[in-house]
Amino acid sequence: MKTIQRKYSLPNCTLFVEGLSEPINEQSPSVRPVLSILVNAECHLAGAKQPLTGGREFFESLVTAVSGYAQEFLSKVPHPEAHRNESGLVQLQQIDPNRHRLTVYSSASNPNSEATNTPVTIDLTTVQLFDLVEAVDQFFADSQTLPTMSLQLAPVSKRYAGHTPQLTKQAVPAAVGVSSLALAAIAFFFVPIPEVRRPEEPQPQSRSRSSNLAAAITDTEQIAWLQQKLYNRINRVWKTRTVNHDLIYRVSATANGAIVGYRSTNAIANDAIAQTPLPNLLVYPVATPETAQEALAQFRVVFGRDGVLQVSPWQS
Amino acid sequence: MNASVSVVPIDAAAVQSNPLILDYLPYPPIEEKGCPRRTCLQIDLILLAIEALEIGGSEALLDVARELELQDIIKNRVNLWRLRSTNPLRRGHTRRLLSIVEAKALVVIACHIARRLTVLLRQLLLAYQQMRDKQIPLEQNLRLANYLERFRAHFRSRMNPRRSGVLAYNSDDKLNELALSLLGQLLFCTGTAGTQRLWMSLFDGEVE
């Protein structure tokens, strides 16, 4: 293990990622070792008094929010990842056509953070915002730094586009003949969104081999989001789309979309696991008492004979 | 030079080839064969902004199409015009669909040109920021004023003024606002993942 630092530098933003490398691989003595465990991240922004710093939680939140907001900036459709959800420490919002407010909340789990708990806000111009997005994209593109994190893009679903209360505000500047969007917004406004909540039956936890049972994610919205995320992740890396049979797996994902387990549903699927990208996408959770309790969602993932990927919530 | 006109319908031929450069843009999860309205509109506006930035912009689009070996999809001026007429606000709007492959080609070309214009884009956005902060009218900056004027002229000459979407831009100020917001979007196209980002954003709110 040795400490490595990576730097992504743009005129208005410099991103430092510091972490540990894996034990050096004898077979391929690569010049640039893989930084696989993040220790600390720093984001220096022009115009900010001090750099934003934090650990993995902060960094993941930062790159997710920045990436999501970049999409929102391009499409003017509110992006759920740009705005703070329960776990997000970072959020971005537009305050002016050319000003974007970055807000960083201090981590609750980090006792070192200031006791006052006041969020840090930094206002960025569009050019400064772009430099931040570009630093993040260069990090994503760097396969030697935290290779498990890469750029995941997916269009925002109609449901989200209609949900956010900001929509009316957003629709005005976007109105660009985005009259169609505006119409959709009006339609969504009047039509009550049907609650598609499945009966909350006990999840098939009993089949899980693990002794400490993980809680199930039951929020339908979160499941839909995860479903989309999972689909995009697998679809992106599934290159050899020739399989002789439909391969069906039950895949467990954590709330942030990491695949922590999969199980084949029959012998054919079991034998053909190497033809799917699942083994490569598997993330081994660090075995600490907190992570053992992480809530999971189960999905049915089908690698179709016709080369089409299907992801749907697992129903026992 | 062969003066005879090909009678092969443009649509049929366009679907045949699928150059590698387009492969890294994923197919959006939409069911329809063609692109949604907003996608067509947005692509055309991005191209319009490029034309306002670069003298001879529409010729540059065809040059880049050849450079990137996309000439099987974007064949000539007329073909390009037909693809862009899928924008519902255009005067010559047709009901023809913009196929996903055609949309990808236009996006790849737009981002390629945007990358060449990186310095100019940054300068214009910086100037805009400074003028705004000091509350100086934008017309005082020559380059910015040129861009805005050209954009307004292009927009007015090509869009159908009777369309409600166009009526929303009935003043110079509103058109300037649109032109400046497109400038920001073009800057985002210049980045490492700019092409993928623009491509995906075109389907925001259009998928289930």
Side-chain angles (χ1 to χ4, degrees):
Chain A
M1 289 274 185
K2 63 171 187 173
T3 312
I4 331 172
Q5 199 181 49
R6 297 276 151 80
K7 179 179 166 189
Y8 307 93
S9 184
L10 273 296
N12 293 302
C13 172
T14 308
L15 194 60
F16 288 100
V17 180
E18 196 175 52
L20 303 172
S21 71
E22 291 197 5
I24 290 162
N25 192 340
E26 302 298 332
Q27 292 143 351
S28 62
S30 92
V31 186
R32 205 159 165 266
V34 176
L35 188 162
S36 55
I37 301 160
L38 175 80
V39 175
N40 187 44
E42 265 181 39
C43 180
H44 297 248
L45 288 159
K49 283 182 215 92
Q50 49 192 11
L52 303 167
T53 61
R56 188 168 178 103
E57 197 187 354
F58 157 75
F59 186 65
E60 277 180 359
S61 188
L62 176 75
V63 297
T64 316
V66 167
S67 180
Y69 187 72
Q71 293 312 102
E72 176 172 325
F73 177 80
L74 280 167
S75 68
K76 316 286 180 224
V77 175
H79 197 291
E81 283 181 355
H83 307 286
R84 195 189 183 203
N85 43 29
E86 290 115 54
S87 58
L89 297 177
V90 179
Q91 73 168 352
L92 272 149
Q93 68 191 76
Q94 188 157 22
I95 47 173
D96 181 278
N98 204 19
R99 293 254 181 220
H100 316 271
R101 180 161 292 165
L102 177 73
T103 311
V104 183
Y105 298 85
S106 51
S107 166
S109 61
N110 180 5
N112 304 344
S113 61
E114 285 174 43
T116 46
N117 246 9
T118 40
V120 180
T121 59
I122 301 167
D123 287 353
L124 304 168
T125 64
T126 299
V127 176
Q128 289 169 337
L129 170 71
F130 169 72
D131 283 347
L132 173 59
V133 172
E134 182 56 16
V136 167
D137 279 351
Q138 286 183 8
F139 154 73
F140 276 139
D142 181 354
S143 58
Q144 302 298 100
T145 307
L146 299 175
T148 49
M149 291 172 76
S150 61
L151 181 60
Q152 310 284 344
L153 292 177
V156 177
S157 84
K158 275 177 197 159
R159 271 161 23 101
Y160 276 114
H163 255 330
T164 325
Q166 273 181 331
L167 185 78
T168 38
K169 227 168 32 182
Q170 297 274 352
V172 177
V176 193
V178 179
S179 46
S180 60
L181 173 69
L183 278 175
I186 294 161
F188 272 117
F189 188 79
F190 288 113
V191 178
I193 290 155
E195 280 280 308
V196 269
R197 195 169 281 279
R198 269 183 211 88
E200 290 188 18
E201 57 198 38
Q203 292 284 316
Q205 291 304 337
S206 49
R207 291 197 214 157
S208 162
R209 268 179 303 146
S210 156
S211 56
N212 45 4
L213 298 180
I217 295 173
T218 49
D219 180 22
T220 43
E221 196 143 307
Q222 199 177 5
I223 289 174
W225 180 80
L226 278 170
Q227 185 182 345
Q228 180 73 47
K229 190 157 174 134
L230 214 56
Y231 175 88
N232 292 320
R233 283 193 65 183
I234 303 176
N235 199 38
R236 242 175 108 250
V237 292
W238 187 29
K239 299 288 182 227
T240 53
R241 285 178 181 256
T242 44
V243 290
N244 298 327
H245 299 274
D246 284 354
L247 304 176
I248 306 169
Y249 300 90
R250 187 169 86 177
V251 171
S252 316
T254 62
N256 59 19
I259 296 177
V260 291
Y262 55 80
R263 207 164 201 212
S264 46
T265 52
N266 55 32
I268 299 170
N270 196 31
D271 293 340
I273 186 71
Q275 291 174 34
T276 74
L278 287 177
N280 291 332
L281 290 173
L282 192 63
V283 175
Y284 296 94
V286 186
T288 63
E290 299 98 78
T291 50
Q293 303 303 323
E294 201 167 3
L296 297 176
Q298 311 278 335
F299 291 94
R300 176 187 157 94
V301 176
V302 183
F303 296 89
R305 227 169 356 161
D306 46 4
V308 174
L309 177 71
Q310 286 174 40
V311 177
S312 52
W314 182 268
Q315 279 152 324
S316 49
Chain B
M1 170 126 179
N2 189 351
S4 73
V5 178
S6 161
V7 286
V8 178
I10 290 164
D11 310 60
V15 201
Q16 301 304 316
S17 66
N18 192 0
L20 282 174
I21 190 167
L22 305 181
D23 277 356
Y24 75 103
L25 296 180
Y27 266 78
I30 53 168
E31 269 137 47
E32 302 84 23
K33 267 180 86 184
C35 290
R37 281 166 58 94
R38 197 178 70 83
T39 310
C40 303
L41 170 80
Q42 211 50 39
I43 292 178
D44 188 38
L45 288 179
I46 287 276
L47 296 176
L48 204 65
I50 288 179
E51 286 173 296
L53 280 172
E54 223 186 15
I55 307 284
S58 58
E59 211 41 61
L61 293 176
L62 291 169
D63 289 345
V64 172
R66 272 190 294 275
E67 200 181 308
L68 300 177
E69 299 185 346
L70 296 170
Q71 70 270 40
D72 288 342
I73 301 169
I74 318 284
K75 295 182 194 68
N76 51 44
R77 189 182 286 277
V78 176
N79 181 216
L80 177 63
W81 175 78
R82 288 184 63 172
L83 297 186
R84 294 183 62 181
S85 295
T86 55
N87 170 2
L89 301 191
R90 282 227 169 209
R91 284 179 197 272
H93 172 58
T94 51
R95 299 226 171 264
R96 177 195 196 282
L97 288 176
L98 183 67
S99 76
I100 299 288
V101 174
E102 288 162 342
K104 280 184 181 184
L106 292 176
V107 164
V108 167
I109 293 169
C111 292
H112 187 87
I113 300 180
R115 226 161 271 142
R116 287 202 310 225
L117 299 173
T118 305
V119 177
L120 176 62
L121 287 167
R122 290 186 80 107
Q123 284 170 344
L124 287 177
L125 281 165
L126 208 62
Y128 165 47
Q129 181 67 44
Q130 286 165 350
M131 312 287 279
R132 225 186 120 93
D133 290 350
K134 293 181 194 151
Q135 304 202 323
I136 305 170
L138 299 181
E139 288 73 29
Q140 305 258 327
N141 182 301
L142 193 62
R143 298 175 88 177
L144 205 51
N146 272 342
Y147 164 69
L148 294 175
E149 200 185 316
R150 286 164 57 91
F151 182 84
R152 292 194 306 262
H154 282 328
F155 187 93
R156 288 190 175 128
S157 69
R158 295 177 196 183
M159 305 302 160
N160 183 345
R162 278 175 304 190
R163 291 261 167 190
S164 56
V166 177
L167 278 176
Y169 297 102
N170 57 1
S171 71
D172 280 7
D173 282 349
K174 285 177 188 160
L175 273 178
N176 286 353
E177 215 174 276
L178 174 64
L180 291 165
S181 118
L182 287 166
L183 216 50
Q185 293 180 20
L186 275 173
L187 179 67
F188 276 62
C189 296
T190 65
T192 306
T195 317
Q196 287 99 313
R197 287 199 177 279
L198 173 65
W199 175 246
M200 272 304 166
S201 79
L202 294 173
F203 299 94
D204 272 357
E206 303 290 342
V207 300
E208 287 303 327

